[in-house]
Amino acid sequence: MTSNAALNELGEFLTQRRSKLSPRTVGLPSTSRPRPVEGLRREEVAQLASISTDYYTRLEQGRMQASAPVLDTIARVLHLNDDERGHLFQLAGRTPVRIRRRGVQKVPPRLQRVLEDLTSVPAMVLGRRGDILAWNALAAALVTDFSHIPEKHRNYPRLLFTESLMRGLYAHWETAAQVTVARLRREAARYPEDPRLIALIGELSMRDRQFAQWWGDHRIAARTEGTKSLIHPVVGEVTLDCDTLTATTDPDQYTTVWTAAPGTRAHDSLRILTSWAADHNLPVSSGWEA
């Protein structure tokens, strides 16, 4: 059993490490208002770690022990290096969790060729957590030029909640956003120890009140077919059929395509957008690893 002295030292260590981090370091928005404490607040660490503020407060006050998975999550939130992480577990009297790394996701060359050949259909490949792995020129024209976004931020849920252009693109943004949260909730149930997923959920919970509210609803949704109504700056309002195709070689990698029936206004809009994309020479992704 861990002694009271060790628990107190654990609390002091957490407090000290928390004070060394700025909101910017962990991806939280900066404000001009003065902060009540140096570094991160307790509630910010708690939300980033997907635990209650009361739970984290009792840890810092030396009033309770934490499980190894919770300690591992807190270590990632506080950006602890390997030595600091080991020290954290030692103070808590826990055996460090062995970090299990899932395989790198990479778009197969044959799928990349398919994307490039789809010149009249917007298509993109998404991976775990909604990471944007690859896209064609028409997807860039329809949604946004993903090549201008740093690779570590190419995540569809993140863009949906943090980029104003995405909020303006969807005619029914709240509906699309709630479905996205429900899909993330489903993935979190499948991979509860995914550090990047934990970090994404924590960041979005802190940055967007609606995300935090919808995350608390515990809704679950799978990826299915449907329609998306967009308000595009070039072709105006357009409603497209949206389908998801799962890769046989990687069940956590899927291709999303937007189509329209021939002879419809939406189909004509896609043809106009195809010409616009060619005129602006939008780049096709070469794929990246996640």
Side-chain angles (χ1 to χ4, degrees), residues 25-140:
T25 302
V26 296
L28 298 179
S30 300
T31 64
S32 56
R33 294 178 296 177
R35 295 177 62 82
V37 296
E38 183 178 1
L40 296 179
R41 297 191 295 267
R42 283 175 175 168
E43 56 266 32
E44 290 172 332
V45 175
Q47 280 202 277
L48 288 169
S50 297
I51 59 178
S52 71
T53 301
D54 178 66
Y55 186 105
Y56 182 76
T57 298
R58 285 185 288 161
L59 280 180
E60 280 204 358
Q61 292 175 344
R63 295 193 289 124
M64 71 171 296
Q65 290 180 292
S67 66
V70 168
L71 290 171
D72 192 52
T73 300
I74 292 174
R76 286 193 288 267
V77 169
L78 296 179
H79 292 207
L80 302 186
N81 60 33
D82 290 342
D83 291 338
E84 292 167 335
R85 180 175 177 273
H87 181 61
L88 175 69
F89 276 83
Q90 184 177 25
L91 291 175
R94 300 293 187 185
T95 301
V97 175
R98 185 176 65 179
I99 300 175
R100 292 182 294 178
R101 301 190 183 277
R102 293 154 71 191
V104 171
Q105 285 189 295
K106 188 175 182 180
V107 176
R110 61 174 64 88
L111 180 54
Q112 185 66 47
R113 291 196 297 269
V114 171
L115 285 181
E116 294 171 2
D117 287 342
L118 290 175
T119 57
S120 61
V121 175
M124 56 194 299
V125 180
L126 283 80
R128 303 181 194 116
R129 304 166 294 273
D131 291 335
I132 302 165
L133 304 179
W135 62 92
N136 64 6
L138 198 50

Side-chain angles (χ1 to χ4, degrees), residues 141-162:
L142 180 67
V143 183
T144 189
D145 188 351
F146 300 108
S147 66
H148 290 167
I149 300 170
E151 286 188 359
K152 66 179 181 178
H153 291 159
R154 285 183 200 154
N155 173 275
Y156 211 84
R158 190 181 192 279
L159 295 178
L160 197 60
F161 279 93
T162 63

Side-chain angles (χ1 to χ4, degrees), residues 177-200:
Q178 288 183 61
V179 170
T180 296
V181 173
R183 288 173 179 171
L184 276 181
R185 169 66 72 176
R186 183 172 183 266
E187 185 161 359
R190 295 175 62 201
Y191 304 110
E193 297 180 6
D194 183 343
R196 290 180 58 186
L197 181 57
I198 292 171
L200 175 66

Side-chain angles (χ1 to χ4, degrees), residues 223-290:
R223 295 183 179 91
T224 58
E225 63 183 19
T227 60
K228 300 292 184 184
S229 293
L230 307 177
I231 303 175
H232 196 274
V234 175
V235 296
E237 187 167 355
V238 56
T239 299
L240 300 171
D241 295 324
C242 183
D243 290 274
T244 299
L245 312 174
T246 303
T248 56
T249 55
D250 182 356
D252 290 331
Q253 188 175 135
Y254 54 97
T255 302
T256 296
V257 294
W258 291 273
T259 60
T264 62
R265 179 181 177 278
H267 189 263
D268 292 339
S269 295
L270 283 182
R271 293 178 62 184
I272 294 171
L273 200 57
T274 299
S275 177
W276 183 88
D279 291 342
H280 287 74
N281 196 29
L282 291 179
V284 177
S285 71
S286 58
W288 70 288
E289 298 180 355

